[in-house]
Each structure stands twice: as structure tokens, then as C-alpha cells.
Amino acid sequence: MNIVSLAWANVRALRQRMYGLVALVSVAGAVCLGALGIADRAQSATDSGVKESAANRSITVDRPDDHPGTAPLTAGTAARLARLPHVASVQHRVQASFGASTPAGGAALLYATTYRAALPPPVTRSVRARLFPLRSGEVVAPATSQGVDLGRMLGRKIEIETIRYVRPGEGTGVTRHARLVGVYDPTWQLDGPDAAYAADSDVVRWAAERAGEPVDRYLSTVGYDQLTVVAGTAADVPAVMKSVQAMGYPAVTLRQQLDALPAVLELIKLVGRVLLGVLGVLAFVGAVTVTGALSRQRAQEIGILKAVGFRTRAVLAMLVAEMALTGAIAALLGAGLGALLGGVGAALMRGSADLAPYAKGWVPLPAPGVLLTFLALTVLVVATGALGPAHRAARMSPTDAMKEW
């Protein structure tokens, strides 16, 4: 019988004494794998969701205020940018401030903004399923702004006040009404704090009135506030960015969504990493304790093995192999329990509207490479913990072993 077969036979015979170590390692491993699995799947869902999304392929081009020789962001500029290699589309942004008031007396200063398909706001409630493009006289605003609960006005008309140019440094208020057809999460501020979305024709008209320009000439004279250049693929972004900057325009990429994991998932990821370190300590200490106790209890067996010709190395290998096999069993049980725990966690996440998009798969285990590394390290830590006590036990002479017994 070889060493591994003998070790396996001993593990089966001594299984009742191994239950404590197996339970300790497997439960701790299950918690680690469950937490890491949920966090890993959530991060994968986030990365894959934005890897080739329009947001990840977007380059924001601002007005060239610090470049006097560069043309403003007019309709002609947008057309030139659209002709650059690897550009899929160019989307514009115009903003115009307006005051919004509710019948309850609340008032907020908002910024009417044209809608860009590359950067859609996270609408939480709306009057219809297909909200964009907006119709003239419709507005989408943050759910709350400056202490005003605009969400309560959903579907109703609100009073808005824009500014019409009179002379340099002077303007007059113009009162209008718009229907609030949707509200979005106010923490989303890629278009600036307190952005409200309106039909392009409305925003351009309000901006032209404020600037004192004819509406039909505004985009060819004053131009857009910002342009969003969408590259064909994520790999094309660096080349497109260089081309835009070579034209003299300040440009930056939009990568914020890559770090968009909710705080609770970041906490789960952190807990999983901390518990992984705790698991290593528990497995090591548990292996030291169990191996030392079993070695003392099995002094007669060790003495007989030494007496019949087993060398120290063979006894040491047998004792360490026993603990390595025990660690492997505990690791496999931990993986199974971790899959169950992760599945329960993912099911609970699907009950939350905020977390449901991150709960991908019914068995959220980490990537195969991470899982195999976890299993191997668990066995290695348990075997390493057993090495010291096993070495002391294997060095006993048959006479000393009999005395211990």
C-alpha cells in the first residue's frame, strides 16, 4: 500500500476526529467564496455591460474657450467631427437655465439639456415606457433638486421661467408651462448638477432667447455647449481622441461607469477578501492543533510503523498527506456551500431594483482560475500547518512512541 492510499485509509478511519477541522475550513471557505463570487459576478456584469456601450466609447468635447483660433462647436464642427475615421456618431448638448416652481411653493434652478443617446439619464419613473425622444413641452428632471421633491409632480404641469435677452446685462423673465414626464436618480450628474432634459427645439429656443440670437441662427453662430463623439469600438477611442485634440478641441473620455458598483457590493467584496485572510489563519491553526492532537493519540501506531521499518520521511509524508486530503475535502465542501450561499445572496439581490442588474447567474462562484487557486491554497495551508507537529511525531523512535502511549 502506497503512502497516499494509507493516508486515505487513515482519514476514513479517523473521520470523526476530523469533523471539527473540516467544518471550520469548509464554512469559512463557503463564506469567502460566496462573497467573492457575488462581487466577481457583479464586477463582470458591470464591465461587460459598459465594455462596448456608447458611454464607454464616448469622448466629450468642450467649447474651445481657451483656444481663440479654434472654431466654436457649431453644426459645421459636428459634421467635421463625424467625418473623422472610426467615429460612429456625434451627439450634441445645449443647455439653458430655467426656474421651476411647484404649486406647493417649491422652486429650483434647473438647466434644460438636450438628450444624448450615448449618455441616457437613469430614469426611475416616467409616464410612458418609451420616454425619449421628448416632445415639445415635456421635461425630465431629477427626482429631487435643491430640497424640492419634483417626483410628486410626475405627469403634471409645472411652471417654468426662462430669460429673454433685452440688452447687454439685462433680461426679462418669460413664464411658460411644461409637463413633467419623467424623473431620474439625482446622483447621476454626467450632464452637471440639476440637469433637466427637454426637447431639442425647446432647449435651443430658450438658449437663443437668453443669448439674444435668432433661433434659426443660434447653432451656426453660438453653437453647442458640448459635443459627444462616439467611437466605433472601445479600441478606437485613443485614436479618435488624438484626432479630436489635433483639431484644437479639449476632449476627455467617459469611464466613470467602470467603477459603478454599489456600496453594498463593494462591502461584500471587502468582506470576502478579509475573510480569505481569516480563513488562512484558521486553516493553519486548525491543522496545527488537529495534527498535534492526533499525533499524540496515535503514538502507538507511529511506534509500530517505525518498528516495522517505516522511515521518518514515510511517516511524515503519511501524516501530512492525511491533513492534505482532509483539507481537500474541506475545500470541496466549502466550494459547494459557497455556491449555495452565493445563490441565496444572488436571489436576494434580484429582489432589489438597484442590485438586480448585478446578480448574474444562479451559481455565482468566482472565475475558474480564482476557484482553483482557492482550492489549492486551502490544501497547501492545511498541509503546511500540519508539517510541524507531523515532523515532531515522525522523528520519535519506536521506544519513545511506546512511552508516549
Side-chain angles (χ1 to χ4, degrees):
M1 180 179 290
N2 60 39
I3 295 297
V4 176
S5 300
L6 181 59
W8 175 243
N10 289 339
V11 169
R12 295 178 60 186
L14 300 169
R15 59 183 178 276
Q16 292 184 346
R17 302 180 188 180
M18 303 288 194
Y19 284 157
L21 178 61
V22 171
L24 178 69
V25 175
S26 60
V27 171
V31 175
C32 291
L33 286 176
L36 291 174
I38 290 175
D40 185 64
R41 290 297 180 90
Q43 187 65 62
S44 297
T46 302
D47 292 346
S48 62
V50 301
K51 184 178 180 181
E52 290 298 336
S53 69
N56 194 44
R57 294 182 283 120
S58 297
I59 299 167
T60 300
V61 183
D62 293 312
R63 278 181 170 174
D65 295 330
D66 298 330
H67 301 76
T70 304
L73 300 181
T74 61
T77 301
R80 287 196 299 274
L81 290 172
R83 290 194 292 269
L84 290 175
H86 310 298
V87 171
S89 66
V90 176
Q91 301 171 20
H92 58 264
R93 187 186 80 171
V94 178
Q95 283 193 319
S97 61
F98 69 92
S101 58
T102 65
L109 177 64
L110 302 176
Y111 294 87
T113 305
T114 52
Y115 172 75
R116 292 177 290 177
L119 300 170
V123 175
T124 54
R125 290 190 297 147
S126 62
V127 298
R128 59 178 180 268
R130 192 182 181 92
L131 193 57
F132 296 100
L134 295 172
R135 303 160 190 164
S136 181
E138 293 183 337
V139 171
V140 174
T144 58
S145 177
Q146 301 158 39
V148 180
D149 185 2
L150 294 172
R152 302 174 68 176
M153 299 297 297
L154 183 65
R156 300 165 60 184
K157 285 192 174 182
I158 59 175
E159 185 177 283
I160 65 175
E161 183 173 339
T162 61
I163 301 296
R164 176 178 292 155
Y165 175 87
V166 176
R167 59 182 61 90
E170 184 179 342
T172 182
V174 180
T175 300
R176 295 182 167 92
H177 288 86
R179 184 175 180 234
L180 186 64
V181 295
V183 292
Y184 68 88
D185 183 351
T187 62
W188 189 89
Q189 298 185 1
L190 287 183
D191 278 317
D194 305 312
Y197 297 87
D200 286 12
S201 58
D202 290 342
V203 179
V204 172
R205 183 171 71 255
W206 299 343
E209 288 178 353
R210 185 180 184 89
E213 291 283 338
V215 176
D216 57 350
R217 293 176 51 194
Y218 180 80
L219 295 180
S220 60
T221 55
V222 178
Y224 303 107
D225 295 300
Q226 191 180 80
L227 292 175
T228 297
V229 179
V230 182
T233 67
D236 295 329
V237 170
V240 174
M241 174 110 96
K242 289 181 180 179
S243 299
V244 173
Q245 291 175 339
M247 294 174 64
Y249 295 101
V252 295
T253 60
L254 287 170
R255 304 288 298 239
Q256 289 92 334
Q257 291 190 40
L258 287 175
D259 301 316
L261 277 185
V264 64
L265 292 177
E266 291 288 359
L267 179 61
I268 290 174
K269 183 190 293 187
L270 177 62
V271 169
R273 290 174 176 173
V274 171
L275 287 178
L276 194 60
V278 174
L279 170 62
V281 175
L282 290 177
F284 185 85
V285 173
V288 171
T289 304
V290 172
T291 305
L294 287 178
S295 297
R296 289 190 295 272
Q297 295 172 9
R298 299 164 65 193
Q300 182 189 26
E301 176 188 338
I302 293 172
I304 293 174
L305 289 174
K306 297 294 290 287
V308 298
F310 270 70
R311 295 183 178 181
T312 299
R313 284 188 302 175
V315 176
L316 174 62
M318 180 192 72
L319 296 176
V320 173
E322 290 173 5
M323 299 311 297
L325 290 171
T326 303
I329 294 171
L332 291 174
L333 285 175
L337 290 174
L340 178 62
L341 183 63
V344 172
L348 294 175
M349 286 170 59
R350 292 188 185 95
S352 169
D354 293 333
L355 300 179
Y358 300 95
K360 301 296 183 182
W362 290 100
V363 185
L365 282 173
V370 176
L371 181 59
L372 290 175
T373 301
F374 167 82
L375 297 176
L377 286 178
T378 301
V379 174
L380 179 62
V381 170
V382 172
T384 302
L387 194 58
H391 187 262
R392 288 193 296 271
R395 291 180 60 188
M396 287 191 297
S397 65
T399 304
D400 292 336
M402 293 302 182
K403 288 180 181 179
E404 289 286 337
W405 179 64

